[in-house]
C-alpha cells in the first residue's frame, strides 16, 4: 500500500496527472515478483525452504565459516511414512508432513533454517556449535510431536529419526561429506529403533 499512497499524495499536492493507477499496477508487479521468488525457494506442500535453497545456504555457511562461525546440521526422517501413505492414503501422508513441518518450524529460532530436503526427509541448519543445545532441540521436537499425537484423533502416530553433527572444516571437506556423515547417523538411529522398538 505504500507506493499507491505516496503516488496519491504526489498527485494531490504536486502533480495533476493520473499517478494512482500506474502506482497500483507497479505494486501488483512487485507483489507478483515477490511471490514468484517465494515459489522458487519454498516447498509447495509444507512452505519450508526447498532443497535447492538449503543447499545454497549451507554452501555459503561453509564458505564463510571463518567469518560467520560454527553451525550444526540435523537430518530428520519421518518413520514409517510409506506405511502411512499406503495404509491411509496420500492425503494423510501429506497431512503428516505438514504437521511435522509445523513442529520443526516452531521448535527453532527464527535465525535457524528448516527445509524439506525431499520426500519425508528434512534438514535443519542451526546457528549453534553446542551439541548439548542441538540435543535439546531434538528433544523439544519430540515433545511437541508427542503432544500432536496425543491431541489428534488419528489412526497413526507421527514419529521421526534424527542425526546431527557440528560442522568443523578439519573434519568435513565440503557439504557432501557433512551431509553423508549426518545422514548415516540418522539411519543408525532408525536402525536402532527398528531393532529395539519402544
Amino acid at each position: 500500500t505504500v507506493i499507491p499512497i505516496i503516488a496519491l499524495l504526489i498527485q494531490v499536492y504536486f502533480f495533476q496527472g493520473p499517478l494512482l493507477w500506474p502506482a497500483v499496477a507497479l505494486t501488483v508487479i512487485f507483489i507478483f515478483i515477490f511471490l514468484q521468488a517465494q515459489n522458487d525457494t519454498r516447498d509447495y506442500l509444507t512452505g519450508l525452504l526447498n532443497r535447492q535453497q538449503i543447499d545454497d545456504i549451507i554452501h555459503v555457511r561453509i564458505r564463510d565459516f571463518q567469518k560467520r562461525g560454527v553451525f550444526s546440521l540435523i537430518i530428520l526422517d519421518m518413520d514409517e511414512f510409506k506405511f502411512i501413505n499406503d495404509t491411509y492414503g496420500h492425503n494423510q501422508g501429506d497431512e503428516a508432513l505438514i504437521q511435522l513441518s509445523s513442529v520443526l518450524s516452531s521448535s527453532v529460532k527464527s535465525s535457524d533454517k528448516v527445509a524439506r530436503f525431499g520426500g519425508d526427509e528434512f534438514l535443519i541448519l542451526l546457528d549453534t556449535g553446542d551439541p548439548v543445545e542441538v540435543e535439546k532441540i531434538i528433544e523439544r521436537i519430540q515433545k511437541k510431536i508427542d503432544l500432536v499425537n496425543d491431541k489428534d484423533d488419528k489412526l497413526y502416530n507421527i514419529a521421526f529419526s534424527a542425526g546431527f553433527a557440528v560442522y568443523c572444516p578439519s573434519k568435513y571437506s565440503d557439504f557432501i561429506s557433512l551431509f553423508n556423515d549426518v545422514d548415516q547417523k540418522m539411519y543408525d538411529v532408525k536402525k536402532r529403533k527398528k531393532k529395539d522398538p519402544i
Side-chain angles (χ1 to χ4, degrees):
T1 60
V2 174
I3 295 175
I5 289 171
I6 292 172
L8 183 61
L9 291 173
I10 291 172
Q11 181 176 321
V12 169
Y13 291 106
F14 302 106
F15 184 69
Q16 297 305 314
L19 292 180
L20 180 59
W21 292 116
V24 169
L26 185 61
T27 301
V28 170
I29 291 170
F30 283 150
I31 291 171
F32 174 78
I33 292 170
F34 173 78
L35 292 175
Q36 196 64 37
Q38 287 289 96
N39 288 339
D40 289 343
T41 62
R42 297 282 169 179
D43 174 64
Y44 73 98
L45 178 65
T46 63
L48 299 178
L49 294 174
N50 63 25
R51 177 173 181 166
Q52 180 63 55
Q53 189 69 6
I54 196 67
D55 274 1
D56 292 345
I57 290 169
I58 294 172
H59 278 101
V60 169
R61 284 302 300 264
I62 291 172
R63 185 194 68 199
D64 297 344
F65 177 78
Q66 296 300 329
K67 182 168 61 176
R68 299 188 61 183
V70 72
F71 67 91
S72 300
L73 181 67
I74 297 173
I75 295 180
L76 186 144
D77 190 82
M78 188 183 290
D79 296 336
E80 304 298 337
F81 179 63
K82 187 176 184 304
F83 170 79
I84 294 172
N85 269 335
D86 291 349
T87 307
Y88 304 107
H90 288 280
N91 286 339
Q92 284 299 310
D94 287 350
E95 183 61 30
L97 289 172
I98 291 167
Q99 286 185 311
L100 179 56
S101 299
S102 177
V103 167
L104 297 180
S105 296
S106 67
S107 300
V108 299
K109 296 181 293 186
S110 58
S111 59
D112 299 324
K113 307 297 181 188
V114 183
R116 183 181 177 200
F117 196 69
D120 59 338
E121 192 165 58
F122 299 84
L123 266 61
I124 306 174
L125 177 68
L126 299 174
D127 219 4
T128 180
D130 182 359
V132 175
E133 186 177 348
V134 179
E135 288 173 352
K136 285 181 180 177
I137 289 168
I138 294 172
E139 289 172 9
R140 186 185 310 146
I141 293 168
Q142 183 62 63
K143 287 177 181 176
K144 288 189 175 188
I145 285 295
D146 290 342
L147 288 174
V148 168
N149 288 333
D150 290 342
K151 189 173 82 169
D152 284 1
D153 187 22
K154 297 191 303 292
L155 296 173
Y156 61 87
N157 284 332
I158 297 172
F160 67 88
S161 300
F164 77 91
V166 176
Y167 176 73
C168 175
S170 61
K171 184 174 182 181
Y172 303 108
S173 58
D174 53 20
F175 173 47
I176 294 174
S177 60
L178 171 65
F179 179 90
N180 288 341
D181 183 46
V182 181
D183 201 42
Q184 186 58 56
K185 289 176 179 177
M186 181 273 293
Y187 275 110
D188 289 343
V189 171
K190 195 176 282 282
K191 286 177 191 173
R192 285 197 300 272
K193 289 169 75 172
K194 285 183 177 179
K195 186 178 178 182
D196 302 308
I198 297 173

